Amino acid sequence: MNMGLFAKMRKSASLAMTALFISSVFLSGCGNSQTSQSSGSSTDSKSTIKVGVLHSLSGTMAISEVSVKDAEMMAIDEINAKGGVLGKKLEVVTEDGASDPAVFAEKAKKLLQQDKVATVFGCWTSASRKAVLPVFESNNGLLWYPVQYEGMESSPNIFYTGAAPNQQIVPAVDWLLKNKGKKFFLIGSDYVFPRTANKIIKAELNAEGGQVVGEEYTPMGHTDYSTIINKIKEEKPDVVFNTLNGDSNVAFFKQLKDAGITSKDLITCSVSIAEEEVRGIGAENMTGQLVSWNYYQTTNTPENKTFVANYKARYGQDRVTDDPIEAAYDAVYLWAAAVEKAGSTDVDKVKEAAKGLEFKAPEGTVKIEGENQHLWKTVRIGEVQADGSIKEIWSTPDPVRPDPYLKTYDWAKGLSN
Amino acid sequence: MDTYLLQIFNGISVSSIFMLAALGLAITFGLMKIINMAHGEFIMIGAYAAYVIQNIFSQYLPASIFDFYFFIAIPASFLAAGIFGWVLERLVICHLYGRALDSILATWGVSLILQQLARSIFGAPNVDVKSPDWLNGALLIHPGLQLPYKRLFIMLMVIICMTAIYYLMYRSNYGRKIRAVMQNRAMAASLGINTRKIDAYTFAFGSGLAGIAGCALTLLGSIGPTLGTNYIVDTFMVVVLGGVGSLWGTIAGGFLIGTGNTTLEFLTDATLGKVLIFTLVIIFLQWRPKGLFTINSRSLDE
């Protein structure tokens, strides 16, 4: 035992602080050290088309993104089983974004420049999408982004198959104002999506006679909501509009129930909780609470019955499908259809062919809006059931036109910059 | 009025969680001076042990005794984390005593391995541990002031753990040996104490305590591979603020950070509350670098 060094260790206070600092810097960059798996490396480029799949397979976002990747792989395999695209099989290059925007950007560059993939399916958080956006634009690549998001974006190199705010948040607020009350309490994780979403909600409430009685943000991974629940109790809102992401939701709903508050006392409406998340939260903790999406596992279409059955047969009966999973599945089919129509995988030709393209998706027919490369989608408000499924209680009669910048709403002027 | 009373309760509750998470660290870092970046992963191991016990109960045992699984889960968490701790000490840490920076890097690597291991075994999505029925609900003082049983139970666990540590460290022969080794290793060794054995058991004990904290955390939220990383910064802060090497310091540090954090969160918001409490801690450490409780020692290398 070296006593001199041991002595140095005793001045541990400052050392521990240094250690914490080092670790917090490195934790965010730890994805660099993770090995990424690239499945298949066939050299015969003539008989296959390379496509990239870029999701977080490790880190905090792996929770959500792994199942989305699974849906994309299923769609790709289904297409291959039917003979592929343009008579060529699809060859997948999988990369791990490791829940870190910087890694996402690096891997996107690798997929486009080194692997020369025809298109990429990927990303979940807005932070990762914002990080890869310049890479796709400067390399003229093509990204299919499968998750609902805060809008205010329309890159010529991205197709957005999740909901724009006017297909999820805006109609949900509208419905809640009419059916549940005027006093809103906003709670969200502290990053770009919840903050932008709440900016939109506040503008809408302001214009339509609602009132915000509280607005709280918690860091990602926050797990103690006793103080915020206390604040909610004090303000007595009609509705809690929840944009928390990830694990925080579990802590929030469990602790809400422990504080003696159920959906009978206080209604919450969440836009980042789907069937997959309900499973983690525990259905008993949020029975009767509301969510807003475009698709549920229970959505009643023939396409969905096949989709759910195939997904469960492939990945296990205990797995569930949800909105981002479905949107990711649609993305693969939409791209394949656009390539068939264009007769080429050339990005500009595919984009041109994709305009107005329709697909009979599990959620019903979706259509690509040529102007902003988002999808026409049906909005559905659902109620969480005791068995963890979500029952649709309201929907728009027809698919809603995507409006990422909310140009058709007077109150939204000035929000987009 | 109820709001403020409830807020005081929340403060004490959060303090108790910090204390429980930091008790193990008070031993491995406070007494043994090992900067173990994998401490959070022992919390995670304890939580998954509780999850496994829950599954065993719900699948193989009659439903009528399911509610008692938690009494098995607590020792199981302690044992699981303790065994991992013992193995880590024997394989890695025992080669790194006195090499602080190396042990930071090595244990941090171990923490990544353990996280990925949990992901491979239990899957990437978080899992939910169903709380026993008798812990659901709240103690109704009067409408508007309800104290959740789970939080009261966690406070009870902290008191039991602290009493156990106190007796082990200050009232038992084994504790005397630990303190002798930590204060003067060479002399303890020459008096016939097997220091390597003491090191391994002490580290395993500290890790086991982290496991108990993980078991308690299953009551509050879901558990996932990264559960522990959320607590690592807070727990190090608690130990450093309290004074490295002092168990009383850990209790005081946990109490100050817990109540300070919730009070500031109540007055501002969650993010700013955390920033303010850490700023205050840093300012305090500038003034008293050794924390609240310092241990006077005649050791020459102090």
Side-chain angles (χ1 to χ4, degrees):
Chain A
M1 172 57 64
N2 182 329
M3 290 306 288
L5 276 173
F6 192 71
K8 272 185 199 160
M9 273 191 76
R10 292 205 158 185
K11 292 168 187 146
S12 311
S14 59
L15 203 49
M17 302 281 258
T18 318
L20 291 176
F21 176 73
I22 292 170
S23 75
S24 61
V25 170
F26 275 84
L27 273 176
S28 60
C30 69
N32 293 324
S33 59
Q34 312 238 354
T35 52
S36 62
Q37 49 166 24
S38 302
S39 67
S41 57
S42 160
T43 45
D44 187 2
S45 59
K46 279 173 191 156
S47 64
T48 62
I49 299 174
K50 274 190 181 176
V51 295
V53 167
L54 175 57
H55 285 292
S56 302
L57 309 179
S58 59
T60 58
M61 289 312 297
I63 292 160
S64 306
E65 289 188 64
V66 167
S67 55
V68 169
K69 183 213 74 174
D70 287 346
E72 286 159 359
M73 298 306 272
M74 182 169 108
I76 290 167
D77 284 350
E78 283 177 9
I79 290 171
N80 276 343
K82 285 178 214 150
V85 180
L86 298 176
K88 296 176 185 174
K89 293 261 161 81
L90 301 180
E91 181 191 335
V92 183
V93 185
T94 310
E95 288 294 344
D96 179 8
S99 309
D100 180 355
V103 177
F104 266 96
E106 183 192 317
K107 298 290 186 188
K109 204 173 270 175
K110 184 224 163 218
L111 283 172
L112 293 176
Q113 295 178 349
Q114 201 176 316
D115 299 316
K116 304 206 183 313
V117 295
T119 184
V120 176
F121 305 98
C123 299
W124 178 292
T125 64
S126 291
S128 64
R129 190 193 64 251
K130 297 265 187 211
V132 301
L133 189 146
V135 178
F136 279 91
E137 290 189 348
S138 62
N139 291 286
N140 197 24
L142 195 57
L143 172 70
W144 295 76
Y145 176 72
V147 185
Q148 48 78 236
Y149 78 116
E150 68 280 2
M152 310 298 160
E153 188 182 296
S154 162
S155 162
N157 294 81
I158 302 180
F159 280 87
Y160 305 78
T161 63
N166 77 310
Q167 297 167 315
Q168 184 191 30
I169 294 167
V170 173
V173 170
D174 201 40
W175 186 88
L176 290 165
L177 273 174
K178 280 182 193 130
N179 295 285
K180 296 292 173 188
K182 306 274 180 206
K183 279 164 78 179
F184 277 58
F185 194 105
L186 311 179
I187 172 171
S189 297
D190 204 356
Y191 76 103
V192 57
F193 167 67
R195 283 196 180 263
T196 313
N198 284 346
K199 224 197 254 179
I200 294 169
I201 293 168
K202 281 189 283 184
E204 186 179 358
L205 288 176
N206 202 18
E208 298 186 3
Q211 184 196 355
V212 178
V213 295
E215 185 178 0
E216 292 285 336
Y217 297 96
T218 61
M220 287 294 267
H222 192 72
T223 48
D224 199 295
Y225 284 89
S226 51
T227 299
I228 286 179
I229 289 169
N230 204 6
K231 285 186 187 178
I232 292 175
K233 271 182 154 176
E234 202 188 354
E235 298 292 348
K236 298 186 179 61
D238 298 319
V239 178
V240 173
F241 203 96
N242 169 25
T243 44
L244 288 174
N245 259 257
D247 315 352
S248 297
N249 276 310
V250 185
F252 177 65
F253 281 102
K254 263 194 169 180
Q255 291 167 24
L256 203 59
K257 196 188 172 204
D258 286 338
I261 302 171
T262 67
S263 59
K264 290 190 192 76
D265 311 298
L266 177 71
I267 202 78
T268 65
C269 182
S270 310
V271 289
S272 296
I273 296 179
E275 285 88 336
E276 186 78 42
E277 285 75 23
V278 171
R279 226 164 47 132
I281 294 166
E284 73 277 8
N285 294 321
M286 59 177 307
T287 308
Q289 301 290 14
L290 302 178
V291 294
S292 174
W293 289 102
N294 307 110
Y295 164 88
Y296 301 112
Q297 186 173 312
T298 55
T299 298
N300 191 14
T301 65
E303 287 79 14
N304 187 35
K305 288 206 176 70
T306 322
F307 171 64
V308 173
N310 288 346
Y311 191 84
K312 283 181 180 267
R314 190 180 159 117
Y315 297 114
Q317 290 302 317
D318 59 328
R319 293 285 294 267
V320 292
T321 62
D322 64 21
D323 186 289
I325 291 175
E326 190 259 356
Y329 177 83
D330 297 351
V332 177
Y333 272 96
L334 284 165
W335 171 78
V339 171
E340 291 285 0
K341 192 174 158 195
S344 157
T345 56
D346 178 79
V347 170
D348 294 325
K349 286 180 187 156
V350 171
K351 273 163 55 181
E352 195 52 42
K355 282 179 185 169
L357 206 65
E358 287 191 6
F359 172 60
K360 283 190 109 170
E363 68 178 83
T365 302
V366 295
K367 186 171 88 179
I368 295 177
E369 171 60 49
E371 188 194 310
N372 50 36
Q373 303 190 157
H374 287 61
L375 294 186
W376 289 63
K377 290 169 92 79
T378 306
V379 185
R380 296 180 164 96
I381 289 175
E383 190 187 83
V384 178
Q385 306 295 299
D387 64 356
S389 68
I390 297 176
K391 191 179 91 183
E392 181 181 316
I393 56 172
W394 176 86
S395 75
T396 52
D398 300 302
V400 176
R401 187 178 184 278
D403 183 8
Y405 291 97
L406 299 170
K407 282 181 198 151
T408 51
Y409 300 87
D410 282 340
W411 48 260
K413 282 203 174 81
L415 279 179
S416 54
N417 43 45
Chain B
M1 188 60 200
D2 282 348
T3 309
Y4 296 109
L5 284 176
L6 195 58
Q7 200 48 38
I8 292 169
F9 175 79
N10 287 340
I12 298 171
S13 168
V14 171
S15 306
S16 69
I17 294 161
F18 281 167
M19 283 177 209
L20 199 55
L23 275 177
L25 202 68
I27 289 172
T28 57
F29 172 55
L31 284 175
M32 302 180 73
K33 318 292 181 222
I34 299 161
I35 298 180
N36 177 17
M37 300 305 289
H39 182 75
E41 277 55 50
F42 291 123
I43 296 180
M44 179 267 288
I45 289 168
Y48 273 112
Y51 173 70
V52 169
I53 295 293
Q54 173 216 241
N55 284 356
I56 292 174
F57 265 70
S58 67
Q59 276 170 23
Y60 301 110
L61 296 172
S64 54
I65 59 166
F66 176 78
D67 275 351
F68 300 101
Y69 86 85
F70 213 71
F71 292 108
I72 307 291
I74 295 172
S77 302
F78 178 81
L79 278 180
I83 290 168
F84 268 91
W86 187 81
V87 172
L88 178 65
E89 205 278 344
R90 290 283 73 179
L91 289 182
V92 181
I93 290 173
C94 71
H95 303 292
L96 295 172
Y97 284 110
R99 291 159 62 187
L101 285 174
D102 296 344
S103 69
I104 291 173
L105 282 178
T107 53
W108 183 53
V110 168
S111 83
L112 292 180
I113 293 170
L114 290 176
Q115 280 179 30
Q116 200 57 42
L117 188 70
R119 205 168 279 128
S120 306
I121 298 173
F122 297 101
N126 281 16
V127 293
D128 184 38
V129 177
K130 215 167 171 300
S131 315
D133 263 345
W134 50 272
L135 278 177
N136 287 329
L139 182 69
L140 195 71
I141 301 215
H142 65 89
L145 187 62
Q146 302 182 22
L147 310 181
Y149 287 132
K150 285 174 189 165
R151 288 177 181 271
L152 292 168
F153 185 74
I154 291 176
M155 290 177 196
L156 186 72
M157 279 170 78
V158 175
I159 292 169
I160 293 172
C161 284
M162 280 187 315
T163 318
I165 293 171
Y166 177 78
Y167 271 91
L168 189 78
M169 283 294 166
Y170 296 100
R171 291 282 181 273
S172 78
N173 197 25
Y174 174 64
R176 200 171 297 122
K177 282 184 187 168
I178 294 179
R179 284 183 293 138
V181 172
M182 300 316 152
Q183 276 173 22
N184 193 327
R185 182 171 295 268
M187 187 172 280
S190 65
L191 288 171
I193 296 173
N194 185 343
T195 56
R196 291 195 59 153
K197 205 169 147 189
I198 291 286
D199 282 339
Y201 285 149
T202 311
F203 191 81
F205 178 66
S207 307
L209 286 172
I212 293 184
C215 188
L217 287 175
T218 62
L219 297 174
L220 295 178
S222 72
I223 55 173
T226 54
L227 173 80
T229 47
N230 298 331
Y231 285 90
I232 188 87
V233 175
D234 292 319
T235 48
F236 267 101
M237 276 294 182
V238 164
V239 176
V240 172
L241 173 67
V244 175
S246 161
L247 286 176
W248 301 119
T250 301
I251 295 166
F255 183 76
L256 280 179
I257 293 188
T259 47
N261 198 353
T262 46
T263 309
L264 290 170
E265 183 182 340
F266 187 71
L267 297 174
T268 59
D269 61 56
T271 313
L272 200 57
K274 198 124 229 169
V275 170
L276 287 174
I277 190 73
F278 281 172
T279 312
L280 289 176
V281 169
I282 289 167
I283 291 170
F284 178 82
L285 289 175
Q286 296 299 315
W287 175 52
R288 288 190 68 163
K290 287 188 169 178
L292 289 165
F293 289 72
T294 47
I295 295 181
N296 295 320
S297 161
R298 293 187 190 170
S299 178
L300 283 173
D301 53 40
E302 196 67 53

